[in-house]
Amino acid sequence: RPPQRKSVLGTWCNKQRSLYKKEKLPQEYIQLLESLRSWTWDPNESDWEDSFIKVENFIDKYGHMKIHETNKELVSWVDTQRRSFKDGTLSKIREDKLSKLVGWVWDPLEKIWDEKFAEFKIFVSENGHANIPQSHPTLGSWVGRLRNRYKKGTLEIEKIKILESYDQWVWNILDAKWEENYEKLLLFIKKHQRLPPQSESEGKWANKQRQRYRKNVLEEKRIQKLNNIELWVWEFNIKKDKSTNS
């Protein structure tokens, strides 16, 4: 197909399209041009179809729509279609064609949210809280990204309200780490029916809380949570601890 506005032939082709659009092009010329295999009356439409076919071929080859960012041209085209759909400028014909593609989604972030949030609810159901550790193999990085979006002010209000409705959900990563250690302490006490010795990681963490308490820098809400532990004491007998583990 001759390039637009870049050659004498391209200029001539554009003139024929202009005459065709104004219904001033003789029928015999129309038939001659349409007999050409690559001829199109709308170059933009032809470009769109070319890119659409490339996406179809990609899906046929790999079985998914996860186009790698190194394929900049195709990634850019896909992003453009999604933006046009969101802006309401994508034609119904193109919308229907794209919607029929295997694996096509109009909003990838929303699809990821749906998948991860379903897993999130399973975690809460099994553990009784939403304090997901950073080390969690499938949810750790996801909750990290949500906290970053919240910090930047780009996370939707609806999602913020949903997450905050769950027990022990925190936006601050340091708060999340504290809650994670708090849960480990509870598990140790439940298993051993005693406070952890300072030789254990749970004991070292508990001692840090006592030090912060003595310095009057431990937050009130954390003091209350520790006080709610039946066996908790603020003055831990180190000598007794050592003799217990000797």
Side-chain angles (χ1 to χ4, degrees), residues 14 29 40 75 110 145 159 162 195 245:
N14 283 337
Y29 291 174
T40 175
V75 169
E110 198 62 31
R145 288 193 295 272
K159 291 183 173 63
I162 289 172
L195 288 169
N245 291 279

Side-chain angles (χ1 to χ4, degrees), residues 8-9 23 51 85 91 130 135 161 164 197-198 211 220 237:
V8 174
L9 184 56
E23 298 183 349
S51 295
F85 174 77
S91 71
S135 57
K161 289 180 179 178
E164 289 180 344
Q198 295 186 49
Q211 291 173 356
E220 184 60 34
N237 192 324

Side-chain angles (χ1 to χ4, degrees), residues 3-241:
Q4 288 182 283
R5 297 182 299 277
K6 290 187 178 180
S7 68
V8 174
L9 184 56
T11 302
W12 181 84
C13 288
N14 283 337
K15 185 176 181 181
Q16 308 315 302
R17 293 184 179 108
S18 178
L19 290 170
Y20 173 80
K21 189 174 182 181
K22 295 175 182 178
E23 298 183 349
K24 293 181 179 180
L25 190 64
Q27 186 61 35
E28 70 175 293
Y29 291 174
I30 294 174
Q31 292 174 352
L32 282 170
L33 288 167
E34 288 181 345
S35 69
L36 298 174
R37 184 178 178 184
S38 61
W39 177 261
T40 175
W41 293 109
D42 185 346
N44 292 328
E45 184 65 28
S46 182
D47 289 342
W48 193 93
E49 288 294 339
D50 288 346
S51 295
F52 180 82
I53 291 170
K54 287 179 182 177
V55 172
E56 275 190 315
N57 291 338
F58 181 94
I59 295 171
D60 288 342
K61 183 176 181 179
Y62 299 104
H64 60 75
M65 268 288 300
K66 299 175 183 177
I67 302 171
H68 197 273
E69 59 185 12
T70 53
N71 194 339
K72 295 181 180 179
E73 182 182 347
L74 211 53
V75 169
S76 176
W77 184 84
V78 169
D79 287 344
T80 297
Q81 307 318 303
R82 287 172 174 149
R83 283 196 301 272
S84 297
F85 174 77
K86 188 175 181 180
D87 296 341
T89 58
L90 188 68
S91 71
K92 187 66 170 63
I93 294 175
R94 291 182 177 181
E95 178 186 337
D96 290 343
K97 289 193 71 169
L98 289 167
S99 294
K100 291 175 183 177
L101 288 174
V102 176
W104 178 270
V105 291
W106 292 108
D107 190 338
L109 288 179
E110 198 62 31
K111 185 175 186 292
I112 292 172
W113 163 267
D114 290 341
E115 293 172 349
K116 292 298 183 181
F117 186 64
E119 189 178 347
F120 173 88
K121 287 191 290 186
I122 293 173
F123 178 94
V124 173
S125 176
E126 293 177 347
N127 296 275
H129 63 81
N131 181 32
I132 297 170
Q134 291 177 274
S135 57
H136 193 281
T138 57
L139 290 174
S141 59
W142 179 69
V143 296
R145 288 193 295 272
L146 289 176
R147 290 183 178 115
N148 285 335
R149 289 182 62 194
Y150 174 81
K151 188 176 181 180
K152 294 176 181 178
T154 60
L155 187 63
E156 297 87 340
I157 295 295
E158 179 186 354
K159 291 183 173 63
I160 292 173
K161 289 180 179 178
I162 289 172
L163 292 167
E164 289 180 344
S165 69
Y166 285 88
D167 183 41
Q168 293 188 33
W169 172 263
V170 290
W171 293 110
N172 186 292
I173 195 67
L174 295 178
D175 287 340
K177 189 63 179 176
W178 193 93
E179 292 290 346
E180 184 178 337
N181 285 319
Y182 179 80
E183 286 299 318
K184 288 180 180 178
L185 177 63
L186 291 180
L187 288 173
F188 183 96
I189 294 172
K190 182 179 180 180
K191 181 178 180 180
H192 301 283
Q193 293 300 306
R194 61 181 174 84
L195 288 169
Q198 295 186 49
S199 58
E200 299 282 350
S201 59
E202 295 88 349
K204 292 176 182 177
W205 180 82
N207 192 45
K208 285 183 180 179
Q209 308 315 304
R210 296 184 182 102
Q211 291 173 356
R212 288 178 58 81
Y213 176 77
R214 287 193 291 270
K215 294 177 181 178
N216 292 319
V217 293
L218 187 63
E219 296 86 342
E220 184 60 34
K221 65 178 181 180
R222 293 180 176 177
I223 293 173
Q224 291 177 3
K225 292 198 74 166
L226 290 166
N227 279 331
N228 288 336
I229 300 174
E230 186 177 354
L231 297 177
W232 178 261
V233 291
W234 290 105
E235 294 297 330
F236 194 71
N237 192 324
I238 297 177
K239 290 182 178 180
K240 184 178 179 181
D241 174 34

